[in-house]
Amino acid sequence: MSAHAPIPIANLLRIAFYAGDVLDELDDCEVTHDDGASFDDVLQAMLARAAQRIRLRGFERGYTCGEEVTARPRGRMLIAESIATCAIQTRRLVCRFDDFSVDTPHNRVLKACASTLMRSDASSEHQESLRALVREMRDVADVKLSRTLLRALPRSLATRRYRVVRFIARLLIDAGQPDEQIGDEWARRLLQNEKAMRKVFERFVYRFAKSSSQLTTSVGRWPLSWGEHSQDLVGNLNTDVTIRGKNWTRIIECKYMRSATARGQYGNEMFHPTHLRQIYAYLARTRDSLQAKRAIDGVILFPAIDASASQSIDLGGFPVRVIQLSLDQPWSALSKELMSVLFDR
């Protein structure tokens, strides 16, 4: 697969989004079915939808420490500071108090993201909602996005709804003021790093499967047991994705390579032998470890451009499909095709 493959920025953002965070709010990344959406258009839509979900559940609140000079004392009265500032002469005191407010670290990051994206040159329908969000968050302090700020964010179950915001903040820190040129550069760097893209593609498929799993299926990365005397030599091997239905099991191995085939000894095109041996070992060991009889099949999944392709083979009695999944199609078509690869019988 070419490092300069014309994968739409919108699709690449969604794929990276799935791969980077395990989300309950996965619909946030499906912001548009428009294949031509620009980098900042997609970020604006993602943030606007995430902010709407946060607003419905209620903005995060927390205790902040404040000080003020007041004629109506509250909290702890600071006598020394009151004398030093001559506040007592005006019948006032310096007081320190805890305030339960929306001025929390996560809300500051949300406001900073909205402020950055609403200044984008792109004319998006979501820009006005981001402007309204900034006005609504007038009690939240203005901060500058930085990696130090993100690393200091507290992580808990209560802040899970801000995961989309953290994802966008990371992109904005790298991009600065987002535009199409920045989006192209971000995509180019990611696609040229084949090691990173291999992990991104694998995580994307796994977490897409987890989020799309039906009541009758379970999705996991189950380790394979190789027997008492072989385990120490073989080690722990986990499948990329294993889907188990009521009476069937599918093992999916994700590969990120320039081609699904290799040149054979005599110049012929053939599937990569190492891939076939790997999927066969997984299938055979899974069959041996299952007590109940069930149908078992395998998929070797590659990303592709221009068009998807699929070829079925019989591998030692196991049905195996080698599939090239086109990433440059509209997101609605891409997600539908991947659903078919994962769950169709």
Side-chain angles (χ1 to χ4, degrees):
M1 182 174 179
S2 172
H4 300 282
I7 301 174
I9 294 293
N11 281 5
L12 199 55
L13 272 170
R14 295 179 184 115
I15 289 170
F17 185 52
Y18 269 91
D21 292 278
V22 184
L23 298 173
D24 297 325
E25 303 88 352
L26 281 169
D27 285 344
D28 286 335
C29 68
E30 299 178 13
V31 292
T32 176
H33 294 318
D34 180 8
D35 195 37
S38 68
F39 184 69
D40 37 359
D41 281 343
V42 175
L43 290 184
Q44 287 173 7
M46 288 171 68
L47 186 64
R49 292 190 61 177
Q52 180 62 22
R53 288 179 182 268
I54 292 171
R55 183 185 289 108
L56 290 175
R57 298 183 186 183
F59 288 104
E60 179 188 46
R61 289 180 174 271
Y63 285 100
T64 58
C65 183
E67 286 187 10
E68 69 175 355
V69 180
T70 177
R72 297 181 177 181
R74 60 168 174 157
R76 180 185 176 189
M77 292 175 286
L78 306 179
I79 303 301
E81 286 82 351
S82 299
I83 295 173
T85 59
C86 300
I88 293 179
Q89 296 177 9
T90 59
R91 296 183 179 181
R92 294 172 181 269
L93 290 172
V94 178
C95 298
R96 181 174 295 159
F97 55 89
D98 289 330
D99 192 19
F100 193 62
S101 74
V102 294
D103 189 18
T104 66
H106 273 96
N107 285 332
R108 292 172 188 171
V109 171
L110 171 59
K111 184 179 181 180
C113 290
S115 298
T116 300
L117 287 171
M118 76 180 190
R119 293 192 296 266
S120 169
D121 293 334
S123 56
S124 167
E125 60 181 296
H126 299 285
Q127 277 185 317
E128 185 54 43
S129 65
L130 294 180
R131 291 191 184 94
L133 176 65
V134 171
R135 291 193 296 268
E136 182 181 353
M137 303 184 78
R138 58 185 175 275
D139 294 330
V140 177
D142 295 316
V143 296
K144 183 178 181 180
L145 291 174
S146 68
R147 289 183 175 84
T148 302
L149 179 66
L150 282 187
R151 284 195 295 266
L153 288 177
R155 304 296 178 92
S156 67
L157 290 175
T159 63
R160 291 179 68 182
R161 62 186 186 277
Y162 285 85
R163 285 172 295 181
V164 181
V165 178
R166 293 195 293 262
F167 172 79
I168 294 173
R170 288 197 299 269
L171 291 177
L172 292 180
I173 289 169
D174 290 337
Q177 183 68 29
D179 56 31
E180 200 59 36
Q181 183 177 357
I182 291 292
D184 290 341
E185 175 63 19
W186 171 80
R188 185 189 65 79
R189 291 201 314 268
L190 180 58
L191 289 170
Q192 282 186 334
N193 189 337
E194 292 195 8
K195 183 177 180 181
M197 270 303 299
R198 182 164 55 249
K199 293 181 179 178
V200 166
F201 183 65
E202 176 188 324
R203 291 174 182 169
F204 159 63
V205 173
Y206 173 71
R207 288 170 177 166
F208 184 95
K210 288 283 286 187
S211 69
S212 307
S213 180
Q214 302 152 358
L215 292 176
T216 57
T217 59
S218 58
V219 177
R221 284 173 169 162
W222 286 290
L224 299 174
S225 174
W226 301 94
E228 180 180 355
H229 301 292
S230 302
Q231 192 68 39
D232 292 339
L233 296 174
V234 177
N236 294 322
L237 295 178
N238 295 350
T239 58
D240 288 347
V241 185
T242 299
I243 303 176
R244 291 177 176 171
K246 186 177 180 180
N247 51 19
W248 59 275
T249 295
R250 176 166 297 155
I251 295 177
I252 300 165
E253 280 298 301
C254 302
K255 307 297 180 183
Y256 186 84
M257 303 185 70
R258 296 181 182 275
S259 173
T261 59
R263 184 72 63 181
Q265 182 179 358
Y266 302 103
N268 57 309
E269 290 288 327
M270 57 184 294
F271 294 126
H272 293 274
T274 54
H275 298 168
L276 298 178
R277 286 194 289 267
Q278 181 186 25
I279 194 75
Y280 176 78
Y282 286 172
L283 292 168
R285 191 60 196 153
T286 300
R287 179 189 58 192
D288 294 344
S289 63
L290 291 176
Q291 297 179 355
K293 290 185 178 180
R294 56 171 57 206
I296 303 174
D297 63 73
V299 172
I300 304 175
L301 186 62
F302 293 84
I305 59 171
D306 296 333
S308 298
S310 176
Q311 187 165 346
S312 299
I313 59 175
D314 182 283
L315 191 62
F318 295 107
V320 172
R321 289 178 295 160
V322 179
I323 298 176
Q324 293 176 282
L325 179 69
S326 176
L327 302 184
D328 65 337
Q329 57 186 315
W331 180 255
S332 55
L334 172 58
S335 56
K336 182 178 180 180
E337 183 176 341
L338 185 53
M339 282 286 292
S340 175
V341 171
L342 296 171
F343 298 106
D344 280 3
R345 295 290 298 146

